[in-house]
Every structure is written in C-alpha cells, then in structure tokens.
Amino acid sequence: KLLQVFLYHPESDVSKSAKIAIIELGDYSDIIDFIVPTIDLSDVEEITNITDKLSKYKSEDIFFYIKNKLQDPLEHRRLLALKVLSKIEGDKAIKLINISANDKSPKIKSLAISALIGRAQTGEIVPILNRLVQDPDIEVSEVALQHLNNYSDQPSVQRIKLSVSKNHSSEKSKTITKDPVDETTILTNTRNIEFKDPSSVDDQIE
C-alpha cells in the first residue's frame, strides 16, 4: 500500500516503476484495486503485463474482483477487466463475458465477441452471438454475424442468419420500390413537354 502513493506521482517514470513493483510484489487484489484505476489504455505493454499477470491466478480467486470491475462506471476499467477475462478459460469466464456483451459501450461489446471466439462451449456462445447480431449498433451486429460463421453447423445459427438475410433483402426492396410512379403518368407528362429547347425541357422536369 505504500507504493500506491507513487502511482499518482507527477513524474511518469516514478509512477510506472510503482506499477511494475505492485504487479511483481502484490497479489491480484492489489493489482485490481490499485493498478486498474490508473491504467493507461494507450500503453499496450502495460496492459499486456497486467492482463498476463492476472490471468495466471486461479480464476476462482479473481472472479469476484473482475465481476465488480465489469460493472464499474468507468469504461476503461470495464475494458481492462474484460481483457483479463479473454485470457481465462471456463464456463464462469463466459458468464462474466456475457455481462460485457450487454454493456452500453459498443467498443466493449465488440471486445466481448472477440473474447468468446475460439472457445469450446458452443452451447453458451452461440446464444450470445445471436443476441448481438440484433444489436442496434451496426458494427457490433456485423462483427457478431461474421463470427457466427464459425458455428455455421448449429441449427440456431442457420435460423438467425436466414432472418438477418431476409431483413437485409427487405430493406433493399424498400429502397428500390420506394414511391412507385405510374407509367401512364410518365407518358402523359412527356407528351405535354414542348421540345423547343433542351433547357426548357430540363426546367419543366424539375
């Protein structure tokens, strides 16, 4: 806890050294309570060190802490907690990733999709992806649909892909058939145009 003071030191080298010391000497609760609130998401090396360290602890030991961070008001803390979960296997990890799949942030929902890919628990993963295909954020929806291709042999996947395909076709149809014009009206208007000057035709059409 003495090192916690140096996490907020104005000199970046000092604060970074304090973080490294806590990661090496502290336990998972120290890392989650002290490091996560101060994390710099632009520092890829720092994030990798923290997530690697936390993922090496027994999952049962850190799930409680991770779950709390997944519901933190600050997005960067939820994001880091999800990054840790992405490196942990098991059904409990998937259940916690599902919390992130319901997050209000599209960025976190997209990361949750990536965290699910490659896992063996198809029965738990497919329903989450099916739900995210219907997400109002188009990027989240597209990412979910793209990854559903990995589970294309599942009947539920076939149904949802067919539904999405019909929806897309319906939208295209609406665009093509929007405001249909009667051919008789077009012919009548064309006959009423006096072709004296090309510019006058344009004026009348406008």
Side-chain angles (χ1 to χ4, degrees), residues 113-154:
I113 295 171
S114 299
L116 291 171
I117 302 309
R119 297 173 184 264
Q121 296 89 340
T122 304
E124 289 77 21
I125 294 173
V126 169
I128 299 174
L129 294 178
N130 279 344
R131 188 181 73 246
L132 289 172
V133 166
Q134 311 297 329
D135 194 87
D137 185 273
I138 187 64
E139 291 186 9
V140 172
S141 177
E142 288 180 350
V143 171
L145 186 59
Q146 176 184 353
H147 285 297
L148 271 177
N149 290 327
N150 297 328
Y151 307 95
S152 58
D153 58 330
Q154 300 293 314

Side-chain angles (χ1 to χ4, degrees), residues 18-30:
K19 288 179 182 179
I20 294 174
I22 291 175
I23 292 173
E24 294 300 324
L25 302 175
D27 60 16
Y28 57 86
S29 61
D30 294 327

Side-chain angles (χ1 to χ4, degrees), residues 97-105 108-109 112 128 131-132 135:
I97 292 173
N98 192 28
I99 294 177
S100 296
N102 287 293
D103 198 279
K104 60 184 179 182
S105 165
I108 290 181
K109 284 188 282 191
I128 299 174
R131 188 181 73 246
L132 289 172
D135 194 87

Side-chain angles (χ1 to χ4, degrees), residues 11-182:
E11 294 184 18
S12 59
D13 289 343
V14 174
S15 62
K16 190 167 186 176
S17 297
K19 288 179 182 179
I20 294 174
I22 291 175
I23 292 173
E24 294 300 324
L25 302 175
D27 60 16
Y28 57 86
S29 61
D30 294 327
I31 296 173
I32 294 172
D33 290 339
F34 301 146
I35 302 294
V36 171
T38 65
I39 193 69
D40 179 8
L41 288 179
S42 64
D43 191 331
V44 178
E45 181 181 357
E46 184 174 86
I47 291 176
T48 301
N49 289 339
I50 293 173
T51 54
D52 283 349
K53 181 72 174 181
L54 287 175
S55 64
K56 290 177 182 177
Y57 287 102
K58 290 183 179 180
S59 55
E60 292 77 10
D61 292 337
I62 67 172
F63 275 151
F64 174 77
Y65 290 89
I66 293 296
K67 183 176 180 180
N68 287 338
K69 293 303 177 184
L70 289 174
Q71 301 172 76
D72 194 284
L74 297 180
E75 183 182 281
H76 77 275
R77 296 180 186 176
R78 304 197 305 274
L79 194 63
L80 185 61
L82 178 56
K83 285 180 178 291
V84 175
L85 278 175
S86 68
K87 299 187 177 184
I88 299 176
E89 297 294 331
D91 293 344
K92 288 184 178 179
I94 292 177
K95 289 180 179 178
L96 291 181
I97 292 173
N98 192 28
I99 294 177
S100 296
N102 287 293
D103 198 279
K104 60 184 179 182
S105 165
K107 182 178 182 180
I108 290 181
K109 284 188 282 191
S110 294
L111 183 61
I113 295 171
S114 299
L116 291 171
I117 302 309
R119 297 173 184 264
Q121 296 89 340
T122 304
E124 289 77 21
I125 294 173
V126 169
I128 299 174
L129 294 178
N130 279 344
R131 188 181 73 246
L132 289 172
V133 166
Q134 311 297 329
D135 194 87
D137 185 273
I138 187 64
E139 291 186 9
V140 172
S141 177
E142 288 180 350
V143 171
L145 186 59
Q146 176 184 353
H147 285 297
L148 271 177
N149 290 327
N150 297 328
Y151 307 95
S152 58
D153 58 330
Q154 300 293 314
S156 59
V157 173
Q158 295 293 340
R159 289 194 296 271
I160 193 68
K161 290 174 72 174
L162 179 60
S163 174
V164 171
S165 176
K166 286 182 177 179
N167 288 338
H168 287 173
S169 297
S170 177
E171 290 300 321
K172 289 181 180 179
S173 177
K174 288 178 182 178
T175 302
I176 294 172
T177 61
K178 185 177 179 181
D179 297 330
V181 180
D182 182 22

